[in-house]
Amino acid sequence: MVPVHGADVPTTSGEGQQAGPAALGRGLYLSHCMRCHGPDMITPGTIAYDLRKFPAEQKDRFVLAVLNGKGAMPAWSGTLTGEQLDALWAYVLTRGK
């Protein structure tokens, strides 16, 4: 487990195998993003962006929005590492599946 601001994010899968980036990203999503973006990226009727529709070729835009915040979304700069951002992006590319 990796501590992330009060939440433990798993570093292995349920079978004890090393978790891939998308699995690690899902853990980060659950602890940091789900409140606004909803379970499995299905937005619960809030103004939060539907991450399932985020263009796959726009990782830089995603990273900038996460680090600097956008609209009502807070900035996560200084909270998430580059490795964590890559893992979160890998999860976003799964479209919540």
Side-chain angles (χ1 to χ4, degrees):
M1 298 288 245
V2 176
V4 180
H5 288 274
D8 287 331
V9 176
T11 57
T12 59
S13 68
E15 293 80 39
Q17 298 172 342
Q18 192 67 18
L24 294 172
R26 183 175 191 282
L28 290 163
Y29 178 87
L30 293 174
S31 64
H32 289 64
C33 313
M34 186 177 73
R35 169 179 271 157
C36 296
H37 291 281
D40 300 321
M41 292 184 233
I42 299 170
T43 306
T46 65
I47 61 169
Y49 185 82
D50 185 341
L51 292 173
R52 296 171 299 163
K53 298 177 181 178
F54 206 99
E57 68 280 357
Q58 294 187 16
K59 179 182 178 185
D60 291 343
R61 181 177 145 220
F62 172 81
V63 169
L64 285 174
V66 172
L67 291 178
N68 299 321
K70 185 162 180 143
M73 182 174 132
W76 293 94
S77 180
T79 301
L80 298 172
T81 67
E83 183 179 337
Q84 290 171 322
L85 284 168
D86 288 343
L88 196 52
W89 177 246
Y91 178 64
V92 168
L93 293 177
T94 72
R95 307 301 183 215
K97 297 181 181 187

